[in-house]
Amino acid sequence: MRKPFVAGNWKMNMDSQTGVDLAKAIADGSADLAGTDVTVAVIPPFVYLQAVGQAVSSSGVALGAQDIYFEEKGAFTGEISPAMLKDVGCTYVLCGHSERRHVLGESDEVVNKKVLASLAGGLLPILCVGELLEERDAGKTEQVVEQQVRAGLANLGAEKASAVTVAYEPVWAIGTGRTATREQAQEVHAFIRKLLAEMYDENLAAEIRILYGGSVKPDNAKELMSEPDVDGSLVGGASLKPDAFLQIIQAGV
Ligand code: PGA
């Protein structure tokens, strides 16, 4: 059975104090969940990883990074390597978040290199995929998602594929308050799982967690996560408020 997974992507928000306070509130608030079967991760900006990592270190809350660079070291000004993320205690790393693809121009090829470098560096990648509104309106959702999943996981053998989490985040639902309906989410999640079965096999596809992201809030989290192929959520805005994030975690249990 796939263990539910709720991750909070803080994006470019918080400062050192409010970040640590938020992390502590999440660590404390999720302490009652110890032993329950849910993975919780916080994903702060790079500069707060260490402080936030310390704040959650004695809890079951995992630490993730919002991005990674695929080279091991060297003259790559401004970039952060897999080993650096491991060094500050990261377990997870987002690869190909839609803001990186669409605001910062990241290609499928770069996203794939990041997925492979994460795994090689002992990190667990969360491959983010999702269509733009015009792509959905043009009936191209499956085509876009298939391309992003196939390209994102290119050259990744079956032995490592189970370490990947996929996050389906329709771009039109991110930060807009316009969530996909549970049916829309389930439809794409089932499509992704079928695709993974084609690329690997049924057993592996049944193991890989597929999270939904895009305006997940306490009042819609439960219905989304109760769909059979929705294994958790990647939460942006609502992960910045401890009560809201804790309610979403609770909804995933
Ligand atoms: P949102 O962001 O919850 O604010 O829509 C989700 C995400 O981008 O991961």
Side-chain angles (χ1 to χ4, degrees), residues 15 22 34 36 51 58 65 74 78 80 84 101 110 113-114 118 122 132 143 145-146 160 167 179 181 187-188 199 231:
D15 59 26
L22 174 60
T36 44
S58 52
I80 305 288
M84 290 170 182
R101 292 177 187 269
V110 165
K113 285 184 178 172
K114 292 184 173 187
S118 301
L132 297 164
Q143 190 185 320
V145 167
E146 174 163 0
K160 284 204 170 165
T179 326
T181 63
E187 197 180 15
V188 181
M199 293 167 63
D231 305 315

Side-chain angles (χ1 to χ4, degrees), residues 9 11 97 99 169 173-176 213-216 234-238:
N9 171 14
K11 308 193 179 185
H97 187 276
E99 286 141 24
E169 300 201 300
I174 296 179
T176 57
S215 297
V216 176
L234 179 55
V235 188

Side-chain angles (χ1 to χ4, degrees), residues 33-227:
L33 301 170
T36 44
D37 250 1
V38 57
T39 306
V40 178
V42 286
I43 310 182
F46 285 139
V47 286
Y48 305 132
L49 278 171
Q50 210 153 8
V52 167
Q54 265 160 21
V56 297
S57 61
S58 52
S59 74
V61 177
L63 188 67
Q66 297 177 14
D67 191 23
I68 189 168
Y69 196 58
F70 49 79
E71 295 287 353
E72 278 175 28
K73 62 176 175 177
F76 303 103
T77 302
E79 296 296 337
I80 305 288
S81 71
M84 290 170 182
L85 295 180
K86 276 297 268 190
D87 190 31
V88 295
C90 284
T91 302
Y92 294 96
V93 58
L94 299 181
C95 295
H97 187 276
S98 79
E99 286 141 24
R100 300 227 46 97
R101 292 177 187 269
H102 299 295
V103 182
L104 294 144
E106 223 165 81
S107 66
D108 276 331
E109 193 193 1
V110 165
V111 175
N112 176 237
K113 285 184 178 172
K114 292 184 173 187
V115 168
L116 298 177
S118 301
L119 290 166
L123 295 154
L124 304 176
I126 301 174
L127 170 66
C128 304
V129 300
E131 80 287 1
L132 297 164
L133 184 58
E134 57 266 35
E135 292 166 337
R136 173 161 284 262
D137 288 345
K140 290 189 176 153
T141 299
E142 291 189 351
Q143 190 185 320
V144 170
V145 167
E146 174 163 0
Q147 160 65 22
Q148 290 176 342
V149 171
R150 283 193 186 277
L153 301 181
N155 304 311
L156 177 64
E159 67 297 344
K160 284 204 170 165
S162 64
V164 174
T165 299
V166 176
Y168 168 58
E169 300 201 300
V171 181
W172 47 271
I174 296 179
T176 57
R178 184 179 162 193
T179 326
T181 63
R182 59 193 295 170
E183 292 81 11
Q184 285 172 322
Q186 169 58 24
E187 197 180 15
V188 181
H189 282 230
F191 172 77
I192 294 172
R193 203 173 306 283
K194 192 169 115 268
L195 178 61
L196 292 169
E198 257 171 63
M199 293 167 63
Y200 298 102
D201 62 52
E202 296 273 348
N203 290 340
L204 200 52
E207 264 180 57
I208 295 178
R209 291 186 288 192
I210 307 175
L211 314 184
Y212 169 79
S215 297
V216 176
K217 302 275 177 312
D219 61 2
N220 59 25
K222 183 118 205 146
E223 61 171 40
L224 284 160
M225 288 191 272
S226 61
E227 288 295 326

